[in-house]
């Protein structure tokens, strides 16, 4: 049974909840990764992997949603830009490997 932050009375309580949230995040990242992989299968040119307009739209939404969740928008942007950069490089690799065959 999960606890709200205010219900945690010890460091161990907090760590248990952080571990629970981390597991949920990993599951969501894995789900997102499956969509990124599918996108790489659909795209035909490695240059398609970096869509600047799309990236900036995503970052804008992340910043807006972060504020609504009382989360530091700069921190959220950093996480998403890192994730997007990794995804772009991953997509490029898949597309380039497919084209090399």
């Amino acid at each position: 049974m999960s606890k709200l932050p205010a219900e945690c009375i010890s460091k161990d309580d907090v760590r248990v909840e952080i571990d629970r949230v981390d597991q949920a995040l990993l599951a969501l990242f894995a789900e997102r990764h499956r969509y990124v992989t599918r996108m790489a299968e659909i795209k035909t040119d490695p240059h398609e992997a970096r869509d600047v307009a799309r990236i900036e739209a995503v970052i804008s939404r992340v910043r807006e949603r972060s504020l609504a969740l009382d989360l530091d928008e700069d921190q959220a942007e950093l996480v998403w830009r890192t994730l997007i950069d990794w995804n772009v490089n991953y997509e490029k690799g898949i597309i380039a490997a497919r084209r090399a065959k």
Side-chain angles (χ1 to χ4, degrees):
M1 176 179 237
S2 63
K3 294 180 181 181
L4 296 173
E7 295 171 334
C8 295
I9 58 173
S10 70
K11 290 184 281 187
D12 285 340
D13 287 347
V14 173
R15 288 178 179 136
V16 165
E17 296 308 318
I18 288 173
D19 289 347
R20 177 186 59 76
V21 171
D22 286 350
Q23 181 60 38
L25 286 170
L26 281 172
L28 289 170
F29 280 135
E31 179 181 358
R32 188 181 194 282
H33 180 71
R34 289 188 291 276
Y35 287 105
V36 170
T37 299
R38 182 61 185 139
M39 183 64 81
E41 293 168 353
I42 293 170
K43 292 178 180 178
T44 58
D45 187 304
H47 294 97
E48 289 181 87
R50 182 170 297 282
D51 181 341
V52 175
R54 168 73 177 151
I55 292 168
E56 293 310 314
V58 168
I59 294 300
S60 179
R61 276 196 310 275
V62 164
R63 290 184 67 84
E64 289 172 16
R65 291 172 180 169
S66 296
L67 288 172
L69 295 167
D70 197 28
L71 176 66
D72 182 274
E73 67 273 22
D74 293 333
Q75 181 182 16
E77 179 177 343
L78 176 62
V79 169
W80 254 260
R81 284 199 186 274
T82 301
L83 178 64
I84 290 168
D85 285 346
W86 187 90
N87 290 155
V88 165
N89 289 329
Y90 176 77
E91 282 186 23
K92 282 181 178 180
I94 288 176
I95 298 164
R98 185 178 63 242
R99 288 178 58 159
K101 291 181 179 179

